[in-house]
């Protein structure tokens, strides 16, 4: 996610479901910037993360395994701000409960026409 092997502005959308949550919070801005790099103007980002607070190693009990994985939880306001900083506007937010609380955001990258003038 930090270095996608595609050209700049070459995809219509990025779908990132239950993946960003496995990166430390400090890496999130760089990943969102990378998503913005590859998504064309007016393109979409569909983002699903675990909702909550904190980050760290935990056992993912829903898979019947005792393997530990990294989890970073997110809240809507902080994630909306981070998306805005990367050039995305959130258009829809959804929540679901399946093993944990999930937060899904549909965001659109700014168009070339909406970019500020220099």
């Amino acid at each position: 996610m930090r270095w996608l092997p595609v050209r700049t502005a070459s995809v219509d959308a990025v779908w990132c479901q239950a993946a960003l949550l496995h990166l430390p919070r400090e890496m999130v801005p760089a990943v969102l910037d990378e998503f913005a790099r590859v998504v064309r103007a007016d393109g979409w980002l569909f983002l699903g993360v675990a909702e909550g607070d904190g980050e760290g190693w935990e056992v993912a009990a829903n898979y019947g395994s005792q393997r530990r994985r990294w989890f970073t939880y997110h809240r809507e306001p902080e994630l909306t701000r981070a998306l805005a900083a990367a050039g995305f506007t959130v258009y829809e937010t959804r929540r679901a409960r399946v093993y944990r609380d999930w937060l899904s955001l549909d965001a659109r990258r700014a168009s070339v026409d909406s970019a500020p003038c220099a």
Side-chain angles (χ1 to χ4, degrees):
M1 288 183 284
R2 294 178 291 166
W3 302 284
L4 297 174
V6 295
R7 290 186 323 262
T8 297
S10 64
V11 300
D12 292 330
V14 168
W15 181 277
C16 183
Q17 178 64 35
L20 190 67
L21 66 100
H22 295 296
L23 293 177
R25 190 176 315 283
E26 66 193 29
M27 292 182 179
V28 170
V31 170
L32 296 179
D33 285 343
E34 181 65 357
F35 291 165
R37 181 189 70 80
V38 302
V39 173
R40 67 172 172 75
D42 290 326
W44 289 91
L45 170 61
F46 304 98
L47 186 61
V49 297
E51 186 171 30
D53 300 303
E55 64 183 315
W57 294 101
E58 60 183 74
V59 174
N62 60 313
Y63 294 110
S65 167
Q66 293 303 307
R67 290 183 31 210
R68 291 170 20 115
R69 296 186 298 168
W70 185 266
F71 283 86
T72 299
Y73 294 87
H74 298 273
R75 293 285 181 188
E76 182 181 357
E78 64 154 80
L79 203 49
T80 297
R81 282 190 299 274
L83 285 163
F88 289 99
T89 300
V90 174
Y91 282 90
E92 186 175 353
T93 302
R94 293 174 308 285
R95 288 179 169 80
R97 174 81 180 150
V98 181
Y99 297 107
R100 65 181 76 245
D101 293 323
W102 293 97
L103 173 64
S104 298
L105 301 162
D106 297 351
R108 194 163 193 182
R109 189 166 175 272
S111 69
V112 174
D113 294 337
S114 66
C117 297

